[in-house]
Amino acid sequence: MYKTKRMISGILAVLLVALCLTAALPTAAAADHDGWTGAWSTSPVEFNWKEMLNLGCIKREFGLKYLTFRTRIQPTVSGEDVRITLSNLYGAGPLTVDAATMARGYARLPQAIQTWTRKTVTFDGSSKVTIPAGETVTSDPIGLSVEALEYLTVSLYLKDTANMKTYGLIGGDTYIMTGNFAKAASTLGVPMRMEGDFGEYSVIPALTGVEVYNPEAESVVLIGDSTLANDIPLLLAQRLQSAGVTNVGILQQAIKGNRLLADGAGILGMAYGEAMVDRFERDALNQPGVSAIFLKVGVNDVVHPNCESMKGEAPAVTAEEMITGYTRLIRAAHKRGIRVYLFTRTAWKGYTRNVLGLSDDIQWTPELDQLRVDINAWIRSEENPADGVIDLDFLCTDETATELQPAYTTDGAHFTAAGQQAVADAIPLSYFQ
């Protein structure tokens, strides 16, 4: 009897210790947190702005030298301090940033800064940094407190930009000018923006991340294609702030034209980025303080192989291959203790992809759309190992969910402002608790 009591006592003691240890263990996100949390981001792509931004006058008169890039962004979570990440991932050689500053900006004056808040950005104590090709650098703490959704302006001055080929294409407004205007109160720069039938791009040189120091915060990543490369991340951040969820940063890692299983192809292929299965670790799993990932990619895997302009360039895929790809990403996240939520693939009936104003590139058919239907069936099934699903069929007009409501789409596939708001509102707040 005594031995039995002693055994029970021993078991209870072990259970008590285990419970205490479990209570004391931080979450996976907090375990490697170090207090720095992602507040803003954009996915890097290889991009040749010399050819695509129609800035020939600057090229002829000044070459590729002595340029200032001023970028205004909005962080999505507050912090006691801030630092930035610059990327030369696709650079043709070393990239030297000769001067960098950060300051608070203005809502109605995108090129102006509040000069009394201006801070010099340093890297290992130096105001000048050289980034080797294929690498990134993160600055020292800048010494500026940050409020969620305020405007911050980063100015980069480069004496030589010949090796610069790494850009974000969503998430901020950038202006380019000749000369060193890193400390200027305001500028008269040329907007680095493109608009056309192929979409809208806000070109952001080198700057790929902004982190804030906030040990109580975490970040979530919205990653996908053009159906997320819009205002949905910012709208979600505004919704969370209004709902009192102030400890979550929203990171935008969507790329227009991105695919799950293949790199970009066609005329704008370089701007479509690497396949999601290849960029997921860098653009999602490795983001600072990340605790959850929201994934919406796959429509381009259906559409691009059937476009006239991409025949023979964009490989076709099967539902089985797509499901294997999604499962691989979800398991990689779960190994790090990161939750994954999947959006269903939205309808695209009526979308013709009129690229560069040429002609209709594709016509919707039930046969082509069957791949999307099969993928959505798996996403809704118990076989899907994700932590949750955001079903977007409510955006459609018909019971078969093949066509978006006119109020929600600009062209049959992409969202209007109302559509973007509807998607942001459809994400359960419980996913952030």
Side-chain angles (χ1 to χ4, degrees):
M1 184 69 169
Y2 174 74
K3 290 183 179 180
T4 301
K5 288 182 179 180
R6 190 167 62 179
M7 183 180 295
I8 293 174
S9 299
I11 293 172
L12 289 175
V14 170
L15 289 174
L16 183 60
V17 170
L19 287 172
C20 291
L21 285 174
T22 302
L25 285 173
T27 63
D32 55 4
H33 195 296
D34 80 358
W36 290 96
T37 297
W40 174 92
S41 68
T42 189
S43 290
V45 299
E46 184 176 2
F47 189 73
N48 193 336
W49 65 270
K50 295 179 293 179
E51 297 178 2
M52 302 185 71
L53 288 183
N54 193 27
L55 296 176
C57 58
I58 292 179
K59 181 180 177 182
R60 287 194 299 271
E61 185 175 352
F62 299 99
L64 295 171
K65 298 181 182 294
Y66 311 113
L67 298 179
T68 298
F69 302 96
R70 174 160 283 187
T71 301
R72 187 184 67 164
I73 61 97
Q74 288 180 270
T76 55
V77 67
S78 303
E80 303 169 20
D81 207 339
V82 62
R83 64 188 187 186
I84 66 173
T85 294
L86 304 179
S87 177
N88 189 27
L89 183 63
Y90 302 105
L95 182 70
T96 298
V97 177
D98 296 277
T101 65
M102 173 180 276
R104 292 192 174 91
Y106 295 95
R108 297 185 179 181
L109 299 171
Q111 298 194 52
I113 62 172
Q114 300 176 28
T115 53
W116 58 93
T117 68
R118 184 184 61 224
K119 301 288 185 180
T120 296
V121 180
T122 62
F123 301 83
D124 289 331
S126 175
S127 59
K128 178 179 178 179
V129 64
T130 296
I131 313 169
E135 296 188 14
T136 63
V137 297
T138 298
S139 74
D140 303 325
I142 294 170
L144 182 69
S145 62
V146 171
E147 293 295 327
L149 302 178
E150 72 171 329
Y151 287 99
L152 293 179
T153 299
V154 177
S155 300
L156 305 176
Y157 171 61
L158 290 81
K159 293 180 180 178
D160 188 347
T161 61
N163 290 328
M164 179 179 281
K165 297 185 184 298
T166 306
Y167 298 84
L169 297 178
I170 188 77
D173 297 310
T174 299
Y175 300 84
I176 181 175
M177 61 227 75
T178 59
N180 186 352
F181 288 90
K183 295 182 178 181
S186 188
T187 62
L188 295 173
V190 177
M192 297 185 72
R193 186 180 303 118
M194 300 183 303
E195 298 181 8
D197 294 324
F198 50 83
E200 299 180 1
Y201 294 92
S202 297
V203 183
I204 303 172
L207 180 68
T208 56
V210 174
E211 305 168 30
V212 298
Y213 187 77
N214 185 340
E216 303 301 319
E218 58 189 30
S219 64
V220 301
V221 174
L222 269 64
I223 190 167
D225 52 34
S226 57
T227 57
L228 283 184
N230 47 37
D231 288 334
I232 289 174
L234 188 58
L235 292 171
L236 177 59
Q238 293 170 347
R239 180 177 171 226
L240 293 181
Q241 291 290 323
S242 297
V245 183
T246 59
N247 65 333
V248 177
I250 306 296
L251 301 180
Q252 183 169 49
Q253 295 288 357
I255 300 176
K256 297 178 191 292
N258 200 226
R259 294 180 63 181
L260 175 68
L261 298 179
D263 295 345
I267 298 173
L268 299 174
M270 65 179 178
Y272 297 156
E274 300 165 72
M276 180 66 68
V277 292
D278 293 326
R279 73 182 185 95
F280 189 72
E281 180 174 8
R282 179 193 68 215
D283 291 350
L285 300 182
N286 290 345
Q287 293 301 314
V290 62
S291 62
I293 297 167
F294 292 79
L295 176 64
K296 189 177 188 299
V297 69
V299 168
N300 292 317
D301 293 78
V302 176
V303 173
H304 286 184
N306 296 291
C307 290
E308 291 298 324
S309 65
M310 298 192 197
K311 288 289 178 64
E313 295 184 48
V317 297
T318 66
E320 291 74 19
E321 289 171 332
M322 294 284 286
I323 291 169
T324 298
Y326 292 125
T327 303
R328 170 182 161 187
L329 300 185
I330 295 167
R331 287 176 176 170
H334 285 171
K335 284 182 179 179
R336 298 201 190 184
I338 300 171
R339 306 185 308 279
V340 178
Y341 302 98
L342 294 186
F343 292 92
T344 54
R345 307 299 81 114
T346 41
W348 61 283
K349 186 176 182 179
Y351 179 58
T352 59
R353 196 176 181 271
N354 191 306
V355 181
L356 301 177
L358 299 176
S359 62
D360 292 349
D361 206 19
I362 190 171
Q363 293 290 338
W364 181 94
T365 68
E367 292 75 21
L368 293 181
D369 196 41
Q370 189 59 46
L371 176 57
R372 181 188 67 89
V373 173
D374 292 342
I375 292 168
N376 279 349
W378 174 80
I379 289 176
R380 298 187 184 97
S381 75
E382 294 184 358
E383 296 177 5
N384 173 11
D387 298 274
V389 173
I390 302 99
D391 196 326
L392 297 179
D393 275 4
F394 75 92
L395 299 171
C396 294
T397 59
D398 54 334
E399 292 182 1
T400 56
T402 58
E403 187 172 7
L404 294 172
Q405 297 181 40
Y408 290 149
T409 184
T410 59
D411 58 4
H414 298 98
F415 299 129
T416 60
Q420 294 174 45
Q421 187 67 64
V423 173
D425 290 343
I427 303 173
L429 290 179
S430 60
Y431 287 175
F432 303 93
Q433 298 173 351

